[in-house]
């Protein structure tokens, strides 16, 4: 029998339909891989019983010809999506033991499409981080190693568990969420495809909120086609999220294969700052050439406020987070540390329940919203955000898509010292602008650096135009012939 | 209606602004599908959104928008076609999200006006600063457990309108009139039931004092959550006097939040609000700006009822009522409608006013019921007045019939018929009675004819007595005058 | 912007996060580092720029969704209380509050 875990979703879908193997077999193969690679720490909660039960249901539906779009496909769910009856932690101690009585809209849609949940994937605490090192449940290890070295690497973050599971063949795909790059940056680090759709495409209902105006769910898969298949299931209007768009969901998969002939691809000069990693720059140039070779024209463009995006993000996101995380107070769910007074209970609960980085961001967010500082920080950030939006709308008047590197570096070591928070924040320098502007962005694995580590390229398009994004992504994927991991499951 | 506090250093006036929290009449909560109804068992009317569960999102109830716009129109206020929901961040046990969704610098309704109807018939315009929509918090119950407070989230997310006046009020009486007028307008509009006892209308009073003649605004204190008009007036009076005492002692009034204790008639510092506040308002990133167009507002405007001020003006001009009388009648929509019904049936607006505002209201007051529970229907009262107007019964008889109507709820025509209470307008019958009285009272007749005209009343009384009160009094006098003429 | 200890104490209180006295200096230094990096934004000219009015506004291509005034939720007390650290009968229990 073929190695089931290395199949793509598209291939597995077809083979399941042809009954070459059963959904249960497919699920069991993944459960075995999860067992074997426990050391990656990709999952916070594994749900093998649920997985097997759902796989059996899938087999029954396949038998009766009622297969859904993702029937029998084993997926991991980032532990930021609330799952009914299954512990949901956001990788935080404060939510340890929390069992939602509801299912997030996105995970419900995936379930309704027949997919099989393998478990809840590790992440940076409350999705705050770019390395998956802030998880209360321990860091995730990337399945990748640098050439000739044995030290562990980070999978990126915050969707680090998702990245490790998909690249390491523990799951065929996974959900991620992307607030500042949390899908695209880890996808780049582990050599998979990560898609952050337009803000408003996927319902945020039931996803533990980090920064409401930036958070978007999206798929993480090994191929562009798989991402298109999975995204179609994940998005759609949800009346329970008043920021969810009332738009029909395009058939993203149908857009694939249309090529890029005639498309105008913007190359923003601000993404090539002095000191940009040479290998990253070289790969970007390669990507430009691939698109040209495929018939696209490239256009030099300017996104003047690019360098302001990251500090702007570090006002907006912590401000929203400081408020969004106020509900973790030990009263209705999660951990509580008793106190003599209500305020003491709050302060002790939150001090014990939140980790270092989360506290940092809550304090920053509290500060930038506080009396006397609001105008200097938050209001200023809202103005710059408006300028960034304008940068992109000006650019998309001239081009159909924008190509950039996804991250400024390849994955770094798990034990590399990370004393300077700002240095860590810089991981998201190329991904954050898309979140501030609400536009879709995807990372495609495009090559390896000299150490043999994956590097991704990012494709951005205008709002609601994921179809063009997928077209460009697939051309890059085809040209790159990315050497996927050959780790044997 | 000046309200002056005589201090040791001189006269002081009080400056009052009121913030009224009015529960919007709606079926569901502001941002969730849970019931907004009062009185369910603890935590029964709570959705996952109201409980602030992780990942839950607010979705705005369209009815609450409509009600806020309606109220804004009723207050002749500026309707903002674009407004923004903001989060007011603070921790409290009955505030599950850790913030209240409210509106801050861009409320749905801007400046407006509320007209006070003063007892002397004059009016005074009080500025409305703004109206915004926000969610209520839950309830902490402190007396169920020795060491714990118990949290009930039924009210969490219930829609409120916060209606803020300008600091234009100058006496506890004006504050009381303001609240009554506001309640009247809200009830006319059907946007809030105005029930202060159940907490669907609550008032915070901002009070400061200043020497008479001064225009400065001194430090104010906010008295929170006072739940009756009378208590608001008492709390303001107490607080104003406290401020005068503090200033005159040479000390400073601290800006703080206070609670009114109606048992002791005093205010005290609210301990839970002692910690310095910094609400860190910012636009709610879960909600886009609230926007609607002219047509939306026009659609609501087209359904507004005639409001108290307009109705009052019409009652004055159409029915010739005094400003005061008209004001009393229009305070409640049902009373005004009742009055108009009676006035139209009887064809005598002033007579109708006398009977409704004096006789009927006195009865309702005695019984402690509203016009809706009046034992006498408007139709019956109108018929009674018709009986007076067409001389079927006298005014005196009408009072008797009215008493019977209160007890029996019967149609006055039936009462008059069954009891034979019809007034005698047959001159023959009255003549006969008069002749008999004249013949039996020669001495009185002589005195009258000698000029003691005050005896006329006595003669009329005798005729009435002889006819068991049924004689038409006017007719009696007329006939008596003729027969007694020298 | 350099944060002092007192400011950190104040924002920690506002955020209801107990920061031990001994950690205040280090926290202040760390937050100051982040804030001074953020302050590069002062160089961005935003004169006359209309800020986004929410975290979100129509420039994001969205319009606020409304719901009809229908009661279709609530009556799920068991679910609401299911995860409470201190569910007291039908209530959530917290340390006694004095108003």
């Amino acid at each position: 029998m073929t190695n089931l875990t290395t199949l793509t979703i598209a291939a597995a879908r077809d083979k399941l339909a042809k009954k070459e193997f059963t959904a249960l077999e497919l699920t069991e193969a993944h459960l075995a891989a999860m067992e074997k690679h426990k050391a990656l720490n990709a999952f916070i909660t594994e749900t093998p019983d649920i997985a097997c039960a759902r796989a059996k249901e899938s087999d029954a539906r396949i038998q009766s010809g009622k297969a859904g779009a993702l029937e029998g496909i084993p997926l991991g769910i980032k532990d930021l999506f609330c799952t009914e009856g299954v512990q949901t932690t956001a990788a935080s101690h404060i939510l340890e033991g929390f069992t939602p009585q509801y299912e997030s809209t996105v995970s419900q849609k995936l379930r309704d499409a027949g997919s099989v949940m393998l478990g809840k994937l590790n992440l940076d605490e409350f999705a705050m981080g770019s390395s998956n090192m802030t998880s209360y449940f321990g860091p995730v290890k990337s399945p990748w190693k640098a050439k000739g070295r044995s030290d562990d690497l980070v999978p990126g973050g915050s969707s680090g568990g998702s990245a490790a599971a998909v690249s390491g063949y523990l799951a065929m795909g996974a959900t991620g969420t992307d607030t500042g790059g949390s899908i695209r940056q880890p996808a780049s680090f582990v050599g998979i495809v990560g898609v952050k759709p337009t803000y408003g495409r996927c319902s945020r209902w039931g996803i533990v909120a980090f920064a409401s105006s930036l958070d978007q769910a999206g798929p993480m898969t090994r191929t562009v086609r798989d991402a298109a298949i999975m995204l179609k299931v994940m998005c759609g209007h949800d009346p329970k999220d008043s920021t969810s768009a009332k738009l029909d969901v395009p058939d993203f998969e149908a857009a694939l294969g249309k090529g890029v002939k005639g498309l105008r691809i913007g190359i923003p000069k601000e993404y090539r700052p002095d000191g940009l990693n040479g290998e990253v720059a070289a790969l970007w140039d390669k990507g430009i050439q691939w698109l040209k070779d495929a018939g696209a024209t490239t256009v030099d463009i300017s996104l003047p406020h690019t360098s302001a995006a990251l500090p702007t993000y570090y006002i907006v996101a912590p401000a929203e987070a400081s408020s969004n995380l106020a509900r973790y107070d030990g009263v209705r769910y999660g951990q509580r540390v008793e106190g003599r007074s209500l305020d003491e209970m709050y302060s002790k609960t939150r001090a014990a329940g939140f980790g270092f980085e989360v506290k940092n961001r809550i304090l920053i967010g509290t500060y930038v919203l506080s009396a006397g500082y609001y105008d200097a920080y938050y209001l200023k950030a809202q103005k710059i955000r408006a300028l960034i939006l304008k940068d992109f709308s000006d650019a998309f008047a001239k081009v159909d898509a924008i190509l950039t590197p996804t991250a400024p570096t390849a994955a770094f070591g798990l034990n590399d010292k990370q004393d300077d928070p700002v240095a860590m924040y810089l991981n998201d320098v190329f991904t954050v602008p898309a979140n501030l502007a609400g536009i879709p962005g995807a990372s495609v694995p495009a090559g390896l650096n000299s150490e043999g580590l994956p590097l991704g390229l990012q494709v951005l398009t205008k709002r609601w135009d994921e179809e063009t994004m997928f077209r460009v992504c697939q051309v890059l994927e085809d040209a790159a012939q990315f050497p996927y991991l050959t780790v044997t499951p | 209606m000046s309200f002056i506090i005589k201090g040791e250093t001189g006269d002081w006036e009080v400056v009052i602004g009121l913030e009224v929290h009015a529960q919007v009449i709606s079926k569901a909560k502001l941002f969730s599908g849970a019931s907004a109804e009062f009185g369910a068992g603890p935590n029964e009317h709570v959705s996952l959104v109201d409980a602030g569960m992780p990942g839950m999102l607010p979705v705005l109830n369209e009815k609450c928008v409509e009600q806020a716009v309606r109220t804004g129109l009723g207050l002749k206020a500026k309707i903002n076609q674009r407004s923004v929901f903001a989060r007011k961040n603070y921790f409290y046990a009955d505030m599950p999200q850790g913030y209240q969704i409210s509106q801050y610098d861009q409320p749905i309704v801007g400046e407006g006006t509320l007209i006070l109807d003063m007892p002397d018939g004059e009016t005074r315009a009080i500025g409305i600063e703004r109206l915004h929509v926000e969610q209520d918090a839950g309830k902490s119950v402190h007396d169920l457990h020795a060491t714990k407070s118990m949290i009930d989230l039924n009210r969490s997310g219930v829609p409120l309108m916060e209606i803020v006046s300008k600091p234009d009020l100058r006496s506890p009486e004006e504050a009381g009139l303001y609240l009554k007028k506001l309640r009247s307008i809200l009830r006319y509009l059907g946007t809030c039931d105005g029930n202060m006892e159940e907490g669907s209308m609550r008032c915070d009073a901002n009070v400061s004092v200043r020497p008479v003649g001064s225009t400065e605004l001194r430090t104010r204190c906010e008295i929170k959550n006072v739940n009756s008009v009378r208590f608001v007036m008492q709390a303001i009076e107490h607080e104003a006097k406290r401020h005068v005492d503090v200033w005159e002692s040479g000390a400073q009034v601290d800006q703080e939040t206070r609670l009114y204790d109606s048992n002791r008639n005093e205010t005290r510092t609210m301990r839970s609000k002692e910690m310095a506040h910094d609400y860190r308002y910012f636009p709610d990133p879960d909600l886009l700006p609230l926007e609607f167009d002219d047509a939306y507002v026009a659609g609501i405007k087209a359904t507004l009822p005639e409001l108290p001020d307009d109705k009052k003006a019409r009652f004055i001009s159409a029915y010739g009522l005094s400003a005061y009388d008209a004001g009393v009648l229009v305070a409640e929509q049902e009373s005004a409608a009742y009055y108009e019904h009676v006035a139209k049936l009887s064809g005598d607006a002033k007579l109708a006013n006398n009977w409704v505002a004096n006789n009927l209201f006195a009865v309702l007051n005695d019984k402690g019921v509203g016009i809706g529970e009046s034992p006498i229907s408007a139709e019956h009262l109108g018929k009674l007045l018709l009986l007076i107007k067409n001389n079927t019964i006298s005014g005196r008889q009408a009072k008797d019939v009215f008493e019977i109507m209160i007890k029996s709820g019967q149609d006055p025509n039936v009462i008059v018929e069954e009891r034979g209470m019809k007034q005698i307008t047959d001159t023959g019958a009255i003549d006969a009675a008069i002749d008999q009285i004249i013949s039996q009272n020669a001495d009185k007749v002589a005195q009258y004819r000698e000029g003691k005209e005050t005896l006329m009343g006595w003669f009329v009384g005798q005729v009435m007595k002889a006819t068991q009160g049924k004689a038409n009094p006017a007719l009696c006098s007329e006939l008596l005058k003729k027969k007694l003429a020298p | 912007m350099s944060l002092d200890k007192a400011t950190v104490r104040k924002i920690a209180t506002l955020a209801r996060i107990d920061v031990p006295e001994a950690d205040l200096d280090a926290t202040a230094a760390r937050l100051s580092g982040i804030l001074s990096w953020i302050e590069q934004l002062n160089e961005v000219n935003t004169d006359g720029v209309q800020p986004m009015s929410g975290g979100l506004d129509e420039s994001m291509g969205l319009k606020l969704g409304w719901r009809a005034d229908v009661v279709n939720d609530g009556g799920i007390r068991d679910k609401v209380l299911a995860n409470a650290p201190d569910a007291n009968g039908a209530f959530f229990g917290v340390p006694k509050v004095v108003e």
Side-chain angles (χ1 to χ4, degrees):
Chain A
M1 192 151 85
T2 43
N3 188 346
L4 297 183
T5 61
T6 56
L7 293 171
T8 63
I9 292 174
R13 177 183 62 182
D14 297 345
K15 289 172 188 291
L16 280 167
K18 288 186 205 148
K19 306 196 177 65
E20 290 184 23
F21 47 79
T22 66
L24 186 60
E25 284 166 344
L26 185 63
T27 290
E28 283 172 341
H30 284 89
L31 291 172
M34 285 162 60
E35 192 60 34
K36 186 171 170 192
H37 295 289
K38 263 198 192 313
L40 294 180
N41 200 29
F43 287 85
I44 291 174
T45 306
E46 297 181 351
T47 55
D49 294 345
I50 290 174
C52 290
R54 291 195 191 159
K56 285 176 194 162
E57 290 167 21
S58 284
D59 281 325
R61 281 191 293 267
I62 291 168
Q63 284 301 329
S64 58
K66 289 179 188 150
L70 287 169
E71 199 63 64
I73 302 297
L75 301 176
I77 304 294
K78 188 178 183 179
D79 203 19
L80 205 60
F81 293 77
C82 289
T83 41
E84 188 173 3
V86 176
Q87 174 184 248
T88 300
T89 67
S92 181
H93 178 49
I94 208 159
L95 272 178
E96 199 172 3
F98 169 60
T99 308
Q101 306 295 303
Y102 50 96
E103 184 82 25
S104 82
T105 298
V106 165
S107 54
Q108 184 67 51
K109 280 172 177 281
L110 288 168
R111 189 179 166 181
D112 292 345
S115 74
V116 170
M117 178 173 78
L118 296 168
K120 304 296 294 290
L121 292 160
N122 207 342
L123 65 150
D124 279 299
E125 184 179 359
F126 282 104
M128 295 178 190
S130 309
S131 64
N132 215 115
M133 280 152 65
T134 71
S135 169
Y136 175 77
F137 301 93
V140 177
K141 293 174 187 168
S142 170
W144 288 78
K145 304 266 193 227
K147 245 188 276 178
R149 297 184 60 166
S150 61
D151 46 330
D152 289 322
L153 298 173
V154 302
S158 67
S159 309
S162 306
V166 174
S167 65
Y169 305 100
L170 312 187
M172 307 200 91
T175 61
T177 61
D178 191 316
T179 305
S182 282
I183 286 175
R184 291 160 290 158
Q185 182 258 16
S188 176
F189 274 22
V190 302
I192 61 170
V193 177
V195 173
K196 178 202 96 71
T198 311
Y199 183 89
R201 268 282 188 223
C202 288
S203 168
R204 293 181 296 115
W205 193 88
I207 303 174
V208 174
F210 164 12
S212 308
S213 76
L214 303 163
D215 295 344
Q216 257 302 284
M220 297 172 77
T221 57
R222 289 189 292 268
T223 69
V224 174
R225 181 173 298 276
D226 287 359
I229 294 169
M230 204 171 146
L231 180 63
K232 181 165 193 276
V233 172
M234 291 169 73
C235 53
H237 176 64
D238 180 4
K240 292 187 285 190
D241 174 359
S242 52
T243 62
S244 134
K246 283 185 183 152
L247 291 173
D248 292 336
V249 181
D251 185 351
F252 303 119
E253 198 182 356
L256 301 177
K258 288 188 179 169
V260 293
K261 198 167 167 51
L263 289 187
R264 298 159 302 167
I265 309 294
I267 310 299
K269 63 177 187 199
E270 290 80 8
Y271 282 66
R272 201 184 291 269
D274 295 340
L276 176 64
N277 179 299
E279 292 185 297
V280 170
L283 185 73
W284 188 13
D285 291 337
K286 237 185 197 175
I288 293 168
Q289 194 56 49
W290 292 334
L291 295 179
K292 279 185 183 169
D293 293 347
T297 53
T298 58
V299 183
D300 288 331
I301 59 166
S302 172
L303 297 165
H305 298 92
T306 297
S307 69
L310 196 61
T312 297
Y313 173 86
Y314 274 95
I315 293 172
V316 174
E320 293 184 14
S322 71
S323 178
N324 280 337
L325 271 60
R327 65 187 58 199
Y328 305 103
D329 60 5
V331 175
R332 284 149 288 111
Y333 41 78
Q335 298 293 309
R336 173 192 286 198
V337 179
E338 292 296 345
R340 285 161 302 177
S341 68
L342 182 65
D343 279 324
E344 190 182 290
M345 187 275 278
Y346 285 154
S347 298
K348 285 184 165 178
T349 294
R350 291 164 60 79
F354 292 135
F356 183 79
E357 181 62 22
V358 171
K359 285 186 211 171
N360 256 348
R361 298 205 197 183
I362 291 175
L363 293 175
I364 289 279
T366 303
Y367 180 72
V368 299
L369 290 176
S370 65
Y373 301 100
Y374 180 88
D375 287 3
Y377 291 102
Y378 187 79
L379 194 62
K380 179 88 180 177
Q382 291 292 83
K383 287 179 181 174
I384 297 174
R385 194 169 174 187
L387 292 173
I388 290 166
L389 269 151
K390 188 174 178 303
D391 281 0
F392 279 108
S393 60
D394 290 350
F396 286 121
K398 292 181 221 140
V399 300
D400 303 301
I402 294 171
L403 183 73
T404 78
T406 305
T409 64
F412 45 88
L414 197 60
N415 299 313
D416 288 4
K417 259 178 103 68
Q418 294 290 343
D419 278 349
D420 180 6
V422 173
M424 182 64 91
Y425 297 167
L426 287 170
N427 275 293
D428 293 331
V429 67
F430 297 147
T431 47
V432 150
N435 297 85
L436 290 169
I439 59 170
S443 179
V444 186
L448 303 179
N449 69 4
S450 54
E451 292 181 285
L453 295 178
L455 294 172
L457 288 177
Q458 175 177 239
V459 179
L460 305 172
T461 52
K462 65 175 183 290
R463 196 175 302 121
W464 315 122
D465 192 13
E466 286 87 353
E467 288 163 283
T468 300
M469 179 187 77
F470 277 118
R471 284 166 65 187
V472 178
C473 285
Q474 194 177 39
V475 168
L476 292 171
E477 180 181 56
D478 289 347
Q481 291 298 310
F482 182 76
Y484 282 96
L485 268 183
T486 49
V487 284
T488 46
Chain B
M1 197 163 61
S2 76
F3 177 80
I4 301 295
I5 297 171
K6 301 245 174 247
E8 285 170 15
T9 60
D11 290 350
W12 297 76
E13 73 169 350
V14 58
V15 177
I16 307 156
L18 297 181
E19 292 173 15
V20 171
H21 289 89
Q23 180 177 337
V24 177
I25 292 178
S26 68
K27 296 190 192 83
K29 290 184 178 181
L30 182 54
F31 293 114
S32 86
S35 170
E37 204 181 350
F38 180 82
N43 290 306
E44 281 293 347
H45 285 176
V46 181
S47 71
L48 299 168
V49 175
D50 309 317
M53 289 287 164
M56 293 300 99
L57 298 170
V59 183
L60 181 61
N61 182 339
E62 63 180 8
K63 178 75 176 179
C64 302
V65 177
E66 183 194 323
Q67 294 286 56
V69 170
R70 204 173 164 77
T71 306
L73 291 169
L75 295 170
K76 311 268 187 283
K78 181 174 183 297
I79 305 299
N80 294 323
Q81 292 185 7
R82 179 187 166 87
S83 63
V84 171
F85 285 101
R87 292 185 183 176
K88 180 181 184 179
N89 293 286
Y90 64 99
F91 286 85
Y92 200 64
D94 52 25
M95 246 229 333
Q97 294 148 317
Y99 55 83
Q100 176 191 30
I101 306 178
S102 180
Q103 296 189 301
Y104 185 52
D105 53 358
Q106 298 179 71
I108 187 168
V109 175
E111 292 186 334
T113 309
L114 182 140
I115 305 292
L116 295 191
D117 303 285
M118 311 301 279
D120 60 5
E122 293 297 302
T123 58
R124 196 160 117 61
I126 303 299
I128 299 290
E129 178 70 34
R130 58 184 281 159
L131 175 155
H132 68 253
V133 178
E134 63 183 24
Q135 48 178 191
D136 204 351
K139 198 171 80 176
S140 302
V141 187
H142 305 302
D143 52 7
L144 288 179
H145 193 285
T147 59
K148 290 174 182 174
S149 292
M150 295 296 159
I151 309 301
D152 172 10
L153 298 177
N154 279 348
R155 288 200 67 83
S156 167
V158 163
L160 303 176
M161 295 180 283
E162 180 170 329
I163 302 162
V164 184
S165 84
K166 290 184 183 290
D168 288 352
L169 299 159
R170 291 290 175 273
S171 69
E173 288 71 23
E174 286 187 359
L177 288 172
Y178 173 92
L179 288 174
K180 286 180 187 161
K181 184 62 176 283
L182 179 60
R183 185 165 61 187
S184 165
I185 292 171
L186 295 174
R187 285 178 173 165
Y188 265 70
L189 293 167
T191 57
C192 171
D193 69 21
N195 189 334
M196 290 189 89
E197 292 69 41
E198 283 185 4
S200 50
M201 192 166 139
R202 308 193 289 265
C203 180
D204 302 343
N206 286 297
V207 179
S208 67
V209 298
R210 65 188 173 196
V212 169
S214 155
T215 55
E216 64 174 337
L217 285 175
R218 295 202 178 193
T219 312
R220 62 189 164 86
C221 287
E222 183 180 15
I223 312 165
K224 274 268 178 218
N225 277 342
V226 194
N227 64 359
S228 83
V229 173
R230 189 164 60 92
F231 289 160
V232 171
M233 294 167 65
Q234 287 174 1
I236 290 169
E237 183 163 355
H238 166 84
E239 184 65 8
K241 285 179 176 153
R242 190 184 71 84
H243 282 215
V244 170
D245 290 346
V246 172
W247 291 120
E248 291 196 330
S249 74
Q252 300 273 320
V253 169
D254 293 327
Q255 179 157 355
E256 61 181 357
T257 304
R258 298 177 71 86
L259 275 180
Y260 177 67
D261 182 337
S262 57
N263 294 323
R264 298 176 169 187
N265 187 26
E266 63 179 31
T267 64
R268 61 179 163 81
T269 301
M270 202 168 166
R271 290 175 63 180
S272 57
K273 298 270 178 180
E274 267 177 348
M275 200 182 297
H277 270 247
D278 183 342
Y279 291 122
R280 291 160 283 134
Y281 279 100
F282 77 111
D284 192 321
D286 285 328
L287 294 161
L288 290 137
L290 167 57
E291 294 181 292
F292 42 76
D293 56 16
D294 284 327
Y296 177 79
V297 179
I300 295 171
K301 199 167 194 170
T303 67
L304 289 189
E306 182 183 36
L307 290 167
D309 292 332
D310 296 332
K311 205 182 276 286
K312 182 182 164 190
R314 185 167 61 82
F315 279 18
I316 293 169
S317 66
Y319 299 131
L321 299 182
S322 72
Y324 176 80
D325 287 342
V328 169
L329 289 172
V330 304
E332 295 284 348
Q333 203 166 16
E334 294 78 6
S335 307
Y338 187 104
Y339 164 75
E340 284 213 87
H341 197 160
V342 175
K344 280 186 184 140
L345 275 175
S346 66
D348 189 331
K350 287 199 174 154
L351 186 67
N353 175 56
N354 285 339
W355 278 85
V356 174
N358 299 329
N359 302 344
L360 181 70
F361 284 4
V363 170
L364 299 181
N365 269 342
D366 275 355
K367 291 183 180 284
V369 298
I371 193 98
E373 296 100 336
S374 168
I376 300 176
S377 70
E379 189 165 352
H380 284 176
L381 187 55
K383 283 182 178 172
L384 177 66
L385 302 199
L386 267 183
L387 289 172
I388 302 171
K389 291 279 291 177
N390 64 21
N391 287 326
T392 306
I393 56 173
S394 66
R396 219 190 66 90
Q397 284 177 306
K399 292 235 163 83
D400 296 337
V401 176
F402 184 74
E403 292 299 324
I404 297 164
M405 288 165 76
I406 292 166
K407 291 193 187 86
S408 70
Q410 276 179 295
D411 185 320
N413 290 331
V414 173
I415 295 170
V416 168
E417 196 64 45
E418 280 181 355
R419 306 194 182 210
M421 292 171 86
K422 274 193 185 161
Q423 170 168 261
I424 299 168
T425 49
D426 167 9
T427 51
I430 297 174
D431 275 342
I434 290 174
D435 290 346
Q436 196 183 356
I437 288 159
I438 288 178
S439 68
Q440 286 168 354
N441 296 281
D443 50 339
K444 293 245 174 12
V445 174
Q447 285 173 20
Y448 179 83
R449 288 182 176 155
E450 280 158 19
K452 199 172 176 189
E453 291 186 2
T454 49
L455 277 172
M456 177 56 81
W458 181 85
F459 280 109
V460 172
Q462 290 303 306
V463 179
M464 297 303 280
K465 200 171 165 186
T467 58
Q468 287 101 44
K470 292 182 202 165
N472 179 313
L475 196 58
C476 283
S477 322
E478 195 188 316
L479 294 172
L480 273 165
K481 266 182 198 159
K482 264 188 221 160
K483 300 222 177 214
L484 290 170
Chain C
M1 169 62 65
S2 165
L3 290 191
D4 58 19
K5 234 168 139 161
T7 307
V8 174
R9 201 182 286 122
K10 193 189 116 198
I11 58 174
T13 304
L14 278 176
R16 297 295 187 278
I17 294 175
D18 189 23
V19 178
E21 197 65 20
D23 293 351
L24 286 175
D25 280 325
T27 308
R30 193 169 59 250
L31 300 185
S32 296
I34 296 168
L35 288 168
S36 62
W37 168 73
I38 286 174
E39 269 154 27
Q40 62 179 285
L41 294 180
N42 293 336
E43 290 159 27
V44 181
N45 183 358
T46 52
D47 294 348
V49 175
Q50 186 65 34
M52 282 184 75
S53 46
L56 297 162
D57 65 13
E58 48 287 271
S59 62
M60 298 275 277
L62 294 164
K63 200 174 174 330
L64 181 68
W66 297 7
R67 68 192 312 285
D69 184 27
V70 177
V71 176
N72 55 12
D73 207 341
I76 48 166
R77 184 163 68 203
D78 292 349
K79 287 187 175 191
V80 165
L81 290 167
N83 281 281
D86 182 10
N88 258 273
F91 295 93
F92 298 99
V94 297
K96 195 151 195 124
V97 179
V98 185
E99 293 205 35

